[in-house]
Amino acid sequence: MSGDKRRFGFWNPAPTRHSLLEDAQGIFTGSMVAALGLSLIGSAGLVTSGIAGVAFILQYLTGYGFGFYYTVLNLPFYLLSLSRLGKAFTIKTFLAVGLTSLITEIQPRYLMIETLDPIWTALLAGILLGFGLLALYRHRASLGGLGILAVYLQDRFGWRAGLVQLAFDTVVLAAAFAVAAPFIVLCSVIGALVLNLFLTINHRSDRYVAV
């Protein structure tokens, strides 16, 4: 019975490390929720933060799929993850990025929304991405890219991951003026603020320690 409790930690009322099953559902759920947010952003022609924002900019410039750019742009960051955050974090992040990219690409086949107000979409997508990232962070994973660096800096120096991400996002969103109208960029900034404030408030290592 004790072996079952270790494997299925959610049945165990005592503090325990995340089981393999818990990590699997956390990564799947986080990726699904984040992919929904990314799909809304793409459908509304918005830009988001981090590497995902760069991937959207490249998609709008070239016409190639978001998932392709998002996967390729994340590759260099796995080296940092492997050397600084460990093998387990890197593998889980690799799976989360791949799953999120795949779901984002295929989701328009199964979910179509005819009317998307840019401001409302930005708010909703920011919240969805925040929930998705929070689920991944709590299972020692991320959506790669700048998120890897943000998590590392929080673990190493205690800097809030949300604030670190916000600094990088300023540069990415400034580049969005090359592919989007000022109003769309403004909506994208609102979404990025919602996302990063959500993470700043909810992702704190002194309140939740993911193991």
Side-chain angles (χ1 to χ4, degrees), residues 171-190:
V171 177
V172 174
L173 290 168
F177 283 102
V179 297
F183 176 70
I184 294 299
V185 176
L186 175 61
C187 294
S188 301
V189 170
I190 292 173

Side-chain angles (χ1 to χ4, degrees), residues 70-85:
Y70 190 51
T71 300
V72 171
L73 289 171
N74 267 299
L75 294 177
F77 290 93
Y78 294 132
L79 297 176
L80 172 63
S81 176
L82 191 61
S83 62
R84 297 294 185 178
L85 298 172

Side-chain angles (χ1 to χ4, degrees), residues 12-52:
N12 190 351
T16 182
R17 298 180 65 87
H18 284 145
S19 67
L20 181 62
L21 180 60
E22 288 173 325
D23 279 339
Q25 68 81 30
I27 291 172
F28 179 77
T29 303
S31 299
M32 282 287 290
V33 175
L36 177 57
L38 291 171
S39 294
L40 292 175
I41 288 171
S43 297
L46 300 171
V47 176
T48 188
S49 55
I51 293 300

Side-chain angles (χ1 to χ4, degrees), residues 178-203:
V179 297
F183 176 70
I184 294 299
V185 176
L186 175 61
C187 294
S188 301
V189 170
I190 292 173
L193 287 172
V194 170
L195 164 61
N196 288 287
L197 287 174
F198 181 93
L199 291 177
T200 299
I201 294 170
N202 293 285
H203 182 56

